[in-house]
Amino acid sequence: MKILKFGGSSVGSPERIRKVVQMIQKAYEENPQIGIVVSAFGGGTDQLIALGQMAAKGKDFRAELKGFFARHSEAAKELVPELGAFYQEDFHQLEKALKQIAGELSLKSLDLLMSFGERLSALIISKAVQKVIPNAKFVDARDLIKTDRNFGAAKVDFIRSNEEIRKRLKDLPFVPIIPGFIGSSKENEATTLGRDGSDYSAAIIGAALEVEAIEIWTDVSGIYNADPRKVPDAIPFAQLSYEKAMEMAESGAKVIHPPSIVPAREKKIPIWIKNTFQPEDRGTLISSEKPKQVFLIGAGLIGSSLLDLMRSKNLRLIGLANSRSMVFKPEGIPIEHWKGCLDSDGEEMNLGKFIDKMVDLDEGNAIFVDCTSSQEVADAYEKILDAGIAIATPNKKANSGTYKQYKKLQKKRSSFFYGANVGAGLPMIAAIRDLVEGGDRIHKIEAVLSGSLSYILNRVSDGVSFSEAVQEAQKKGYTEPNPQEDLSGFDVARKLLILCREIGLPLEMEEIDLEPVLEEHLKPNQRYIASWDQGCPKVALQSIGPDHPFFQLQANENILAIYSDFYPESPLIIKGPGAGAKVTAGRVLAEIMRAK
């Protein structure tokens, strides 16, 4: 279950409420176990305080009250015109409470007045949500959150509150729409939790129900290193500890109410600070888990796909570089704005300086990600691993260099993640490694290891010209940056070399019998097959018939057949898309998350 809280700026107008309703609907479709906490309409609490002050001074407040009523009735009529004046009883109660104020505005009376802001907001929003989620239901927070009689900043009775929340909300078949900020005393008097207390309401309810996450939806994309309304280039933190977030809130960061963090911290519930108006932004995660520090070189097709995938993970992008620029932000580069940061804040790229800076900023959980095809970057792996920094990479250059260099890197195997070297997102290297470590003996492998060449050969079989097929593969991002590396067969040879080395063979590149893909040799129903069978490893075009296991390969698929003691007759087959930025990035991300 999740709790979603929407602040006053998020529900400040019918248009904004419609957006919130759409977001609630989307969250419900992903997981119907949600609870919603809402603030008063933006500025509503201040209006109620002003009304109370006018009443206490004996001033005529009817015009101002009429304006307050009009704002809410017009919103209701625009959102749910078919329901009529369902809010009228609350209007009567508010007017009665104002008329009972004489001479002095007590904190008790003020709490009662202020409670109408959240109550009316939640009532109207619940009716709007019911149009898309029929089992949505208004639930009065005064029945859930029990407090003392310290009006204005009431202290929560957590024992009674947790009991009421669990009794009324746990495992019930409806979506509760709950007013934030308010509770009630033992005498059933309305109380408030302090200004901006709706965050606290969400945290109290979330902690009682032990939800998986609390989302605070506001008008900024997280907690920033400076006030984004005053500092245009302020940057949101990707993640903060509970303690750091509380420290910042107590020092004036207004995004979250300081007490809200305590119940979540006690139950280790993560809090997300998100932007209602830019919901695609990652926001700030507040939790006890320390995020991995990611230092990424290469922001091309694979690198940019990886950055997109990283947005939903507990990772902090600290350093980023392409061939021209590099940028570092210890507090975290906002992933949704990485291009702008690299362009506006970047300095000239220098690999040596990048590595030195990475080592300086490493807090003990850094991982270096190489999404280039650069030999220079691959040559730096040993230095990076020796500095105690893990590596995840699809770059094949390091593992397909000399066997001596390969063996050096294998000494740091527990920190070196290169599953995407062969097969893009397919677990080809992992399969061979698991068999060998499990005591199996591999006799033979056959494979199609180029998604780009699979695509090209399939298209040629379909009657497309060779040059057109190559161009299509390049546009789809299937080829290496230089397609000639695919056509020469050298890229496939590199992959075969890596697989053979994983089997335990001390091979060098020049030992592979390599035949390039030449247009004049092409025929229908050919596959570019890499193989090893107790002898010389070979890469060559082969014509195959319908009875061959590789005959049915589609589009950009790769396949690996492993014959071994465990699989002597019917080989272990691994098959699937073997090219494409997204699948490759997915494999790299999995290894980033696996790194310790």
Side-chain angles (χ1 to χ4, degrees):
M1 184 177 183
K2 289 197 300 187
I3 298 293
L4 285 68
K5 179 262 174 178
F6 294 92
S9 59
S10 299
V11 296
S13 68
E15 182 183 0
R16 292 183 176 185
I17 292 172
R18 284 195 187 93
K19 183 175 180 64
V20 165
V21 170
Q22 290 173 355
M23 294 171 67
I24 293 171
Q25 182 182 14
K26 181 180 178 183
Y28 177 80
E29 289 169 352
E30 291 172 355
N31 179 4
Q33 296 297 308
I34 57 173
I36 310 300
V37 175
V38 297
S39 296
F41 290 2
T45 302
D46 290 335
Q47 286 180 286
L48 289 164
I49 293 171
L51 282 165
Q53 290 170 343
M54 291 179 71
K57 293 175 182 177
K59 294 183 177 181
D60 186 353
F61 54 76
R62 287 177 297 179
E64 285 73 11
L65 180 60
K66 184 178 179 181
F68 181 85
F69 285 165
R71 182 182 183 194
H72 288 78
S73 61
E74 286 168 9
K77 289 173 184 175
E78 189 168 336
L79 293 164
V80 281
E82 66 277 12
L83 295 183
F86 59 87
Y87 41 79
Q88 203 63 50
E89 177 58 29
D90 291 270
F91 283 5
H92 290 321
Q93 290 181 24
L94 172 55
E95 186 172 14
K96 180 181 176 182
L98 284 165
K99 289 178 178 179
Q100 289 175 343
I101 295 171
E104 181 183 351
L105 181 59
S106 68
L107 290 176
K108 176 181 174 180
S109 297
L110 184 58
D111 272 7
L112 176 59
L113 292 179
M114 290 192 294
S115 73
F116 283 96
E118 269 71 17
R119 287 158 58 185
L120 281 164
S121 173
L123 180 63
I124 292 168
I125 291 170
S126 70
K127 299 298 184 183
V129 173
Q130 283 171 2
K131 295 177 74 170
V132 295
I133 305 175
N135 65 338
K137 177 182 174 183
F138 172 84
V139 176
D140 197 329
R142 294 173 296 177
D143 296 330
L144 304 175
I145 297 176
K146 299 301 178 179
T147 73
D148 64 10
R149 300 182 76 244
N150 183 30
F151 299 104
K155 183 178 179 181
V156 177
D157 181 339
F158 280 97
I159 293 175
R160 290 183 62 220
S161 298
N162 290 346
E163 182 181 318
E164 291 295 335
I165 292 165
R166 290 166 187 155
K167 180 175 71 176
R168 295 173 186 271
L169 299 183
K170 195 169 182 65
D171 300 324
L172 291 181
F174 62 82
V175 174
I177 312 294
I178 306 163
F181 178 52
I182 63 175
S184 67
S185 67
K186 283 183 180 179
E187 293 76 18
N188 291 322
E189 302 153 310
T191 58
T192 62
L193 308 178
R195 288 302 298 265
D196 301 315
S198 292
D199 294 351
Y200 195 20
S201 301
I204 293 165
I205 295 166
L209 298 174
E210 299 188 25
V211 298
E212 65 185 66
I214 297 166
E215 296 179 0
I216 307 295
W217 289 89
T218 181
D219 57 359
V220 291
S221 298
I223 299 176
Y224 284 68
N225 62 349
D227 188 341
R229 298 174 183 89
K230 298 177 182 177
V231 182
D233 58 352
I235 293 173
F237 292 97
Q239 179 160 3
L240 293 170
S241 67
Y242 293 118
E243 291 72 20
K244 184 64 176 177
M246 189 177 297
E247 176 188 321
M248 294 184 69
E250 289 171 346
S251 299
K254 297 180 180 179
V255 176
I256 188 167
H257 190 48
S260 312
I261 298 169
V262 177
R265 181 182 63 184
E266 289 178 353
K267 295 289 187 177
K268 292 185 169 55
I269 298 170
I271 303 172
W272 282 95
I273 311 297
K274 303 275 284 182
N275 190 337
T276 305
F277 310 107
Q278 292 179 274
E280 69 281 358
D281 287 358
R282 182 182 189 275
T284 298
L285 173 63
I286 302 171
S287 75
S288 58
E289 186 178 349
K290 188 177 179 182
K292 286 189 180 79
Q293 297 173 290
V294 176
F295 295 83
L296 169 64
I297 293 183
L301 287 173
I302 295 173
S304 58
S305 295
L306 175 62
L307 288 164
D308 284 343
L309 295 175
M310 282 173 55
R311 290 167 68 159
S312 63
K313 298 297 182 181
N314 182 22
L315 299 169
R316 185 154 44 115
L317 180 64
I318 305 297
L320 175 65
N322 57 23
S323 59
R324 302 176 302 280
S325 304
M326 62 182 184
V327 63
F328 295 90
K329 292 189 182 295
E331 70 275 16
I333 298 167
I335 293 179
E336 60 271 18
H337 302 306
W338 67 264
K339 288 182 182 176
C341 286
L342 198 56
D343 291 341
S344 62
D345 300 337
E347 58 185 281
E348 185 179 356
M349 171 56 179
N350 179 289
L351 180 60
K353 289 182 179 178
F354 187 97
I355 294 170
D356 290 344
K357 186 73 171 177
M358 175 172 64
V359 172
D360 288 343
L361 293 172
D362 177 21
E363 296 175 355
N365 64 342
I367 183 163
F368 173 72
V369 183
D370 173 19
C371 286
T372 75
S373 58
S374 164
Q375 185 66 57
E376 181 190 12
V377 178
D379 289 343
Y381 287 1
E382 190 175 358
K383 178 181 178 180
I384 293 167
L385 291 168
D386 286 343
I389 295 173
I391 296 175
T393 182
N395 186 348
K396 298 174 283 291
K397 297 289 176 65
N399 282 324
S400 60
T402 65
Y403 183 71
K404 180 180 179 181
Q405 182 63 23
Y406 170 82
K407 291 299 288 183
K408 279 185 179 180
L409 294 174
Q410 289 299 300
K411 292 177 182 178
K412 302 282 186 178
R413 184 165 168 168
S414 63
S415 299
F416 185 29
F417 299 88
Y418 52 89
N421 276 192
V422 182
L426 299 174
M428 291 185 172
I429 290 175
I432 288 178
R433 182 180 292 180
D434 288 349
L435 290 176
V436 171
E437 291 180 352
D440 198 1
R441 189 168 62 91
I442 296 173
H443 313 143
K444 172 184 173 182
I445 59 173
E446 283 189 313
V448 170
L449 297 176
S450 173
S452 57
L453 289 178
S454 283
Y455 181 85
I456 291 166
L457 293 173
N458 276 316
R459 294 296 285 148
V460 169
S461 292
D462 292 339
V464 174
S465 73
F466 179 71
S467 60
E468 187 178 349
V470 172
Q471 289 174 2
E472 287 181 9
Q474 190 172 15
K475 285 179 182 177
K476 289 178 177 288
Y478 294 160
T479 68
E480 291 297 304
N482 178 4
Q484 192 55 43
E485 287 197 33
D486 299 85
L487 300 175
S488 70
F490 196 66
D491 186 61
V492 172
R494 279 199 196 103
K495 295 173 184 177
L496 177 61
L497 178 65
I498 292 169
L499 293 181
C500 288
R501 286 175 172 177
E502 292 293 309
I503 291 170
L505 305 174
L507 289 177
E508 300 289 355
M509 179 62 78
E510 53 268 25
E511 296 178 69
I512 294 178
D513 182 4
L514 173 61
E515 296 179 11
V517 177
L518 300 176
E519 183 175 4
E520 57 267 27
H521 294 164
L522 295 184
K523 302 174 186 176
N525 300 323
Q526 286 182 310
R527 297 288 181 263
Y528 196 56
I529 295 177
S531 60
W532 168 78
D533 185 6
Q534 302 294 323
C536 176
K538 183 175 182 178
V539 178
L541 277 170
Q542 293 184 33
S543 295
I544 57 174
D547 58 336
H548 194 286
F550 294 0
F551 184 79
Q552 298 297 331
L553 283 187
Q554 302 294 316
N556 66 331
E557 285 183 332
N558 277 195
I559 189 168
L560 170 64
I562 304 172
Y563 299 81
S564 68
D565 286 352
F566 294 173
Y567 301 91
E569 301 297 333
S570 179
L572 174 64
I573 298 287
I574 298 164
K575 175 184 173 184
K582 192 168 184 179
V583 291
T584 305
R587 168 61 58 176
V588 176
L589 179 59
E591 297 190 323
I592 292 172
M593 301 306 295
R594 195 176 301 127
K596 295 180 181 179

